[in-house]
Amino acid sequence: MKCVLLTKKLLDGIEKMPTIAIDAGFSAAEVCADRPFVTPVELWVKNPRVVRAMRACGICEEKITGLGADYEKLAVLFENLKATAGSTLAADLYADLAMLNASHAPITENAVHAWQSANAYLATRDVTPRSLLAKNRASLLRVEAGDRCEEAAFGDTVKPLVCFDALLRMEASDFSGQVEELGKCAGVAVKDLATLEQAVLAVLDRFAALGAGAVMLDLSGFDRFEKPDAYHAAAALASGLAGEQAALTSAAVALWRAQLLRMLGRALVARGMRLVLRVRPKTENVMGDFSIKAFDKLLSYLAQWKALPPVLLSLAAGDLPQGLSLLLNRFREESGAPLLYFGIEAAGATTAQLSRSLRFYLNRGVASLLLGITDCEQGSFSAPAKARFARVLSAELARFAATDGNGIFDEDALLHVAQAVFAEQAARFFGV
């Protein structure tokens, strides 16, 4: 009983705290337009889990992303929700409907009521991309480095999160085209390694002027580190720009990635910016396993070259790569401040997956390195992943206090940890 009461007290102390929305789910153009949502389906069809589930049920594309009526899409979605058992999707949609005052009947049985109630709510309130983002302490909108995006979207608490993934994927067939777009954005004709660096620095400065404090890269499948050098990196770049990807060996691609990360790392250190590294499990990407040993070699190399900014390693809930413990407290500034932090991607994660990740970090005494949720639920009104994470975090801390705390940790101490993990440490990391 005491554990239940403590869980509730901790939950009451954190669930309404504004958090940082990383990769906040809207484009700069959508934020600028700020068009009010008329039906819930307009937002839900942006949710990749909704679309994936509907396709898996054999629903025709017209009733998923086509020009079919929104009510028809809602009805067919509800009809097939029971087929999503094992996923949080149904519970997440219910949370949205509860926010929209449309939860008075089981959502799988009364599409008409849900439709009418949700639309009536949206008709009397100005629910727009900006109003949803305003619930966050800060919102980081993903922008591709080569995009000439709507600059008016940024300011106050909405910041760009710059993505250079296209430069990492030298083996991709569109690599040269992506580099050309980056050059156009920067006003630099990219012909070699030196001009590419000029373009990268110009793009960084442009977005920094718009409030960007971080760069994000997807390192899923990073399984090999090759110590870079300018000569071989330049040769690899020349092959990529010439469209000769077939001539690139895996060693050349790995060397290029390390060279690019060193270039970016030094630029970020000079500008006081952060680096967010996202790692999806192999089941979610086609690039292979992520290697902790290779990643450790990369960070060690960047630290040696004074090119290691504060890094956030973002891992899917429940996904704990072999050897992850080796990275805890591994990299620090000369002052002793940590350089490597960790985050949990919680969108669509179950309570069991969240518990597994939280216990890993909490049991190893590194709660101060954990920045809470480091992704954002796309296509959601109510941020159900945030609410689920708050419940699991509260329950894990209360369980620990009841079973292993030996009375050392009072409510205030536990609440301090919960608030730090849930919101405050991420806010300090991003400086917002």
Side-chain angles (χ1 to χ4, degrees), residues 190 192-203 259 263 266-267:
V190 178
D192 51 26
L193 193 59
T195 50
L196 177 66
E197 183 168 5
Q198 291 177 22
V200 167
L201 298 182
V203 166
Q259 180 78 28
M263 180 194 305
R266 295 180 71 175

Side-chain angles (χ1 to χ4, degrees), residues 317-318 350-362 392-393 395-396:
T350 64
T351 55
Q353 291 169 323
L354 292 170
S355 292
R356 183 167 185 256
S357 289
L358 278 168
R359 288 183 186 182
F360 174 85
Y361 296 108
L362 295 176
V392 175
L393 175 60
E396 286 296 325

Side-chain angles (χ1 to χ4, degrees), residues 287-311:
M287 295 175 284
D289 289 314
F290 174 78
S291 167
I292 291 294
K293 289 184 178 179
F295 184 65
D296 179 70
K297 290 178 180 179
L298 170 67
L299 296 192
S300 297
Y301 174 81
L302 295 178
Q304 176 187 349
W305 283 88
K306 308 296 183 184
L308 184 61
V311 173

Side-chain angles (χ1 to χ4, degrees), residues 12 29 46 75 89-90 92 99 126 142 158 205 215 228 232 234-235 264 313 337 342 347 360-361 369 394-395 399 404:
D12 289 344
K46 287 175 58 66
L89 184 58
D92 293 349
M99 177 195 148
D126 197 28
R142 177 192 180 100
V158 180
D205 287 337
V215 162
H232 289 97
L264 278 171
L313 181 61
F342 302 87
F360 174 85
Y361 296 108
L369 300 179
S394 300
R399 178 197 59 79
D404 298 299

